[in-house]
Structure formats: structure tokens, C-alpha cells
Amino acid sequence: ISTILVHSMEWTVGELKSMINWLMQNPAGLKLNSVLSRALGNFFLYHIHLWVTYVYMLVPALVNIFQSISSLLPLLPLSLQLSLLGDVVSILCLHIFCFYAYAKRITQSQASGCLALARLFAGKKYNPLRKRL
């Protein structure tokens, strides 16, 4: 089962890297901010590298743990077995939450920058001393 997991992870990583490299260039002829797209692409490529390292370290440990408790697993109730399976899936999918958290943080900072720029053009600059517009 670990070989299947490793092969599927390698395929997923290859596809993700090719998609991010495509987005770092001019995808579909779009003129994007090349410096920003390169910086974000390198950031997410580094995150993928960290995720691969995490999985390579985690999968052998999980396989050893499951091999040691495999004789006890049939004796455990079904709800406990399902909860263990859910925990393993959550551990293996931690990278998806990290991608989401990073993208959310970047989006929030961009939105606050756009809002400050709109207020500046409207003449309603935020006053940090009075903590109001």
C-alpha cells in the first residue's frame, strides 16, 4: 500500500509542478505580473517540496505503525477503525490546508491593499491615530 501511495504522490507532484510552471509563464496568452507570478510559483513549488519531504518521512512510519497494530485492528469496533482512517487521511492531506491558508493570507493582504488604494483615490484615507476614516 505504501508503494501505491508513493507512486500516486509522485504523479500528483509531477502534475502540480508542471501546472505551476505553466502558470508562472504566460498561461493561455494572459499578460500577468511576471515578477509576482514567479514569486508565488516559487513559493508554492517550495511548499510542494516540503510536502514531498513530509510524506516521505511520514509514510514509512505510518506503515510500521499499521503493521504493528494490524493484528488488533479486527478486534476494534468499526467506529474506532473509521476514526483512525479519518485521522490518517487528515494527516496525509495536511498540505491542502496549508495551501489554502497561504492562499487565503495572500488574498486578504491583496484585498486590504486594494481597499486602501480605493480609499486613497476617494479621499478617505484611514487615520491610524483616531482609528477611523
Side-chain angles (χ1 to χ4, degrees):
I1 206 165
S2 67
T3 57
I4 294 171
L5 186 65
V6 168
H7 288 305
S8 64
M9 184 201 60
E10 288 173 353
W11 179 81
T12 304
V13 165
E15 292 295 317
L16 278 174
K17 284 183 177 181
S18 67
M19 187 184 316
I20 289 174
N21 285 327
W22 179 70
L23 287 172
M24 286 170 62
Q25 299 161 357
N26 290 332
L30 296 174
K31 300 280 185 183
L32 301 175
N33 186 343
S34 63
V35 176
L36 179 65
S37 65
R38 203 173 317 119
L40 289 175
N42 287 333
F43 172 76
F44 282 112
L45 285 173
Y46 180 69
H47 184 75
I48 290 171
H49 172 72
L50 289 177
W51 170 58
V52 167
T53 306
Y54 170 75
V55 170
Y56 277 140
M57 291 172 59
L58 186 71
V59 167
L62 286 177
V63 167
N64 289 337
I65 289 171
F66 275 117
Q67 285 177 349
S68 65
I69 65 167
S70 63
S71 61
L72 296 175
L73 205 56
L75 303 175
L76 297 175
L78 181 63
S79 60
L80 184 62
Q81 291 176 12
L82 291 176
S83 66
L84 287 173
L85 179 66
D87 289 342
V88 169
V89 169
S90 296
I91 289 172
L92 290 176
C93 294
L94 181 67
H95 65 285
I96 295 173
F97 177 74
C98 291
F99 268 133
Y100 164 73
Y102 298 147
K104 179 182 171 189
R105 184 76 167 205
I106 291 169
T107 304
Q108 285 176 343
S109 68
Q110 291 292 321
S112 76
C114 288
L115 184 62
L117 190 61
R119 285 185 184 146
L120 180 67
F121 284 130
K124 298 179 179 179
K125 193 173 169 189
Y126 180 73
N127 188 347
L129 297 176
R130 293 184 182 172
K131 296 185 180 171
R132 62 183 175 93
L133 290 178

